[in-house]
Amino acid sequence: MTKERPEIREHLFRYVQGLTLHCAQTGLCGVRHDREQRLASWLCLASDALGAHVIPVTHDYPSFALGLRRAGVTETLIRFEEQRLIRKMRGVLQIHERKGLEQKACGCCNLLSGTYALV
């Protein structure tokens, strides 16, 4: 099928490149950036992936995805809520101030967003 439809092959190739970059960048991010930067980046990327400002997720998932303690994720989310960047509700995180969250995020967020925009 990919021989008959080279545009599919090209699209899949770009996706694999983006996913490979995402995996490598996530590993580097975990070593170089602090919890607040990593969580802010994750929230922005999750919002982009869903195309919404409401993310149906518990604190366990970003904790697992980022390799962080759940208590640390909760502490950081509380700080974000105090700064009016997000609102926490049971099983849902709602982004209120995207620009402020982007300012807290590390540069990995922009790199990965740009990569997925090409896919």
Side-chain angles (χ1 to χ4, degrees), residues 44-61:
C44 290
L45 290 169
S47 173
D48 291 348
L50 292 171
H53 291 295
V54 176
I55 304 167
V57 68
T58 64
H59 300 189
D60 286 332
Y61 188 77

Side-chain angles (χ1 to χ4, degrees), residues 5-23:
R5 307 266 319 262
E7 66 275 5
I8 292 174
R9 183 179 62 238
E10 182 62 30
H11 188 73
L12 288 172
F13 179 70
R14 284 194 313 265
Y15 176 76
V16 169
Q17 281 184 313
L19 187 59
T20 302
L21 176 65
H22 191 150
C23 291

Side-chain angles (χ1 to χ4, degrees), residues 6-110:
E7 66 275 5
I8 292 174
R9 183 179 62 238
E10 182 62 30
H11 188 73
L12 288 172
F13 179 70
R14 284 194 313 265
Y15 176 76
V16 169
Q17 281 184 313
L19 187 59
T20 302
L21 176 65
H22 191 150
C23 291
Q25 194 63 38
T26 299
L28 182 63
C29 184
V31 174
R32 294 191 161 237
H33 300 122
D34 65 31
R35 177 178 64 206
E36 185 173 276
Q37 292 173 307
R38 292 168 60 199
L39 186 55
S41 292
W42 188 89
L43 289 168
C44 290
L45 290 169
S47 173
D48 291 348
L50 292 171
H53 291 295
V54 176
I55 304 167
V57 68
T58 64
H59 300 189
D60 286 332
Y61 188 77
S63 167
F64 175 75
L66 297 172
L68 299 169
R69 289 179 40 248
R70 185 187 177 283
V73 168
T74 300
E75 290 170 11
T76 305
L77 290 173
I78 289 170
R79 277 200 305 277
F80 287 171
E81 191 168 37
E82 289 170 348
Q83 297 165 5
R84 300 182 196 268
L85 300 174
I86 65 163
R87 181 167 179 230
K88 297 186 304 97
M89 297 169 278
R90 187 171 185 84
V92 174
L93 297 173
Q94 183 176 18
I95 296 175
H96 276 289
E97 183 56 47
R98 171 67 186 238
K99 291 289 183 197
L101 204 56
E102 288 174 351
Q103 289 174 350
K104 296 218 174 268
C106 58
C108 300
C109 184
N110 290 333

